[in-house]
Amino acid sequence: MLSRIISTDPDKFADAYWGRQPLLSRAGELPGGGFTDLFSPADADELISRRGLRTPFLRVADRGTVLPATRFTGPGGLGAEVGDQVADDKILRLYADGATLVFQGLHRIWPPLIEFIQELGAELNQPLQVNAYLTPPGNQGFATHYDTHDVFVLQVDGTKRWIIHEPVISEPLERQAWGERRDEVTATASGASALDVVLRPGDALYLPRGWLHAASAQDARSLHLTIGIRAFTRYTIVEELLRLAASDQRLRATLPYGLDLTDPAAIGPALADTVAALQEWLPTADPEEVADGLRERVWPAARPAPIAPLSQLDFAEALTPDDLVRARHGLRWRLAEDGAEHVVLRLSGRTLRFPAYCATALRMVLSGEPYRVGDLPLDDDADRLVLARRLLKEAVIVPGR
């Protein structure tokens, strides 16, 4: 999937561009013939008019300002019992007057993008999200800004001019949003650009986090997809280390009575003692504990492939030893011993326990390859069916056909 949106070898992309500099890939350098199979103007119409779209899956921006949802939503009609359904007639008027439509979270609601992002996320080993931006001719949805996550921009329809400047802060964290540096951003944007290009249908652009950008539609409407890549950084590890450091009593100690925390001279000794205690504790940090903590942050950011609950249960009830099963695509898991009698299957937000003799069968069925239930390494078909049915009902595995 990555090779569909970059014009260079993935290894070269990783070494020369990832997190470092933009990469422009023209349609003629890419396979696939464009991106309308992922999302198109007709698909945008479909979402607005026939799918009962609600906020926050749609935002509307006008001349750099995000409009309140009340400007473009209304009641869903008899029996719907919702008051924030997107109103197609209101959207029509706003868009005709120059507003930009932002379709958010398309990786959750639009089937072609659900599948595409599932595969691309697995290839990058990163959690991803997708928004679409539909801008009327000659309009600009947002002022010059930067994102705190990397993005791939895929031009679907029309043309859009992108003016890109180097960062005012390199590799910003999520809490270092551009609004805090508005004056620096404005000043930098008034100078010479690092890149000034017009994207045409089928073109793709990679932008690392922190790079300033502004985009404006040209003579026709513009529709592009933005794939956002969640930024996990060294500071992510620092945050987890600080959480674990609370286990050290010295770092939990009460500060001296009456200490003025606003006086640099007064806090000097306490600061020195704290730094010394932290320096002494850090080499004792256990990578296993750090990974356990980070797992709770990383795993929920990426959802596994969707399942069909009714079909899944029907399949489980009718399961036979001849049926094929496989791990659910995108499922994050870890299998660990729990004493001599049990193994624990850790998933995002939950833990399942099994008898220890199931460990080999679990690893086999979770490997990603389809397996015949009757081939699972357990004593008999009855045990195999019990294990497979439980995993199906827990949404760990799916039919392998």
Side-chain angles (χ1 to χ4, degrees):
M1 285 300 173
L2 180 61
S3 61
R4 183 177 175 182
I5 59 176
I6 60 171
S7 58
T8 189
D9 177 83
D11 290 337
K12 182 177 179 181
F13 173 75
D15 292 339
Y17 296 97
W18 178 255
R20 294 179 175 84
Q21 61 178 322
L23 172 64
L24 173 64
S25 302
R26 291 298 187 185
E29 303 172 300
L30 300 174
F35 306 111
T36 53
D37 60 313
L38 300 178
F39 194 67
S40 68
D43 297 334
D45 269 348
E46 173 79 9
L47 276 178
I48 293 169
S49 63
R50 298 181 182 276
R51 295 298 183 100
L53 196 65
R54 300 174 63 186
T55 57
F57 284 106
L58 184 74
R59 286 191 304 160
V60 178
D62 190 12
R63 296 167 182 83
T65 300
V66 177
L67 301 182
T70 53
R71 291 282 303 277
F72 57 91
T73 59
L78 181 64
E81 298 183 1
V82 296
D84 64 347
Q85 187 167 311
V86 171
D88 47 14
D89 56 341
K90 294 181 180 180
I91 290 296
L92 171 63
R93 290 192 293 271
L94 288 169
Y95 179 75
D97 288 339
T100 291
L101 309 183
V102 184
F103 299 85
Q104 300 193 131
L106 289 176
H107 60 292
R108 295 291 310 280
I109 62 174
W110 196 247
L113 283 169
I114 291 172
E115 182 177 347
F116 178 77
I117 291 305
Q118 189 73 49
E119 295 185 28
L120 181 61
E123 188 173 348
L124 294 175
N125 196 27
Q126 295 279 346
L128 308 176
Q129 64 174 16
V130 184
N131 294 346
Y133 295 79
L134 182 58
T135 307
N139 281 269
Q140 178 175 320
F142 297 92
T144 301
H145 64 284
Y146 64 77
D147 296 316
T148 57
H149 53 268
D150 291 16
V151 299
F152 289 103
V153 176
L154 312 182
Q155 188 69 26
V156 175
D157 184 61
T159 59
K160 205 161 199 179
R161 181 186 180 191
W162 286 75
I163 301 177
I164 297 164
H165 293 82
E166 294 192 1
V168 296
I169 173 175
S170 296
E171 300 180 302
L173 302 174
E174 288 183 358
R175 59 186 179 84
Q176 295 174 313
W178 76 275
E180 300 175 357
R181 293 172 168 79
R182 192 180 301 270
D183 291 343
E184 294 176 77
V185 168
T186 301
T188 301
S190 66
S193 62
L195 193 63
D196 186 341
V197 295
V198 174
L199 295 189
R200 296 176 174 83
D203 291 345
L205 174 67
Y206 166 72
L207 281 180
R209 59 193 164 107
W211 283 73
L212 309 187
H213 55 275
S216 56
Q218 300 300 286
D219 296 334
R221 72 179 179 218
S222 168
L223 174 63
H224 76 264
L225 297 170
T226 294
I227 301 172
I229 308 168
R230 177 77 178 273
F232 290 114
T233 68
R234 291 185 187 274
Y235 194 75
T236 305
I237 299 176
V238 170
E239 289 175 324
E240 183 57 27
L241 287 171
L242 290 177
R243 188 186 71 83
L244 293 173
S247 64
D248 191 312
Q249 185 275 329
R250 295 169 299 172
L251 295 169
R252 303 195 309 270
T254 303
L255 292 171
Y257 176 79
L259 179 65
D260 183 357
L261 292 174
T262 67
D263 181 356
I267 67 169
L271 176 62
D273 290 345
T274 302
V275 169
L278 186 60
Q279 287 176 327
E280 186 175 336
W281 176 83
L282 282 172
T284 71
D286 182 358
E288 185 75 21
E289 286 187 317
V290 174
D292 284 343
L294 290 174
R295 193 175 298 120
E296 298 303 313
R297 300 177 62 173
V298 173
W299 280 6
R303 294 174 61 88
I307 58 168
L310 299 184
S311 297
Q312 182 92 346
L313 290 174
D314 288 345
F315 181 79
E317 291 302 322
L319 193 68
T320 72
D322 288 327
D323 287 319
L324 296 177
V325 293
R326 60 168 174 78
R328 185 179 175 188
H329 285 316
L331 185 76
R332 302 294 189 96
W333 61 273
R334 184 167 180 268
L335 195 64
E337 293 182 359
D338 183 17
E341 298 184 356
H342 294 93
V343 290
V344 171
L345 179 61
R346 301 191 191 282
L347 306 167
S348 178
R350 58 198 174 111
T351 298
L352 305 177
R353 299 177 77 242
F354 298 87
Y357 62 79
C358 291
T360 302
L362 285 166
R363 291 190 185 280
M364 179 175 170
V365 78
L366 288 168
S367 68
E369 297 296 322
Y371 282 97
R372 180 177 171 273
V373 172
D375 291 335
L376 296 178
L378 293 170
D379 288 342
D380 52 45
D381 281 346
D383 284 349
R384 297 179 186 110
L385 288 168
V386 167
L387 176 63
R389 285 197 177 105
R390 183 182 177 193
L391 293 175
L392 284 164
K393 291 179 180 180
E394 295 284 359
V396 174
I397 62 174
V398 295
R401 55 179 180 272

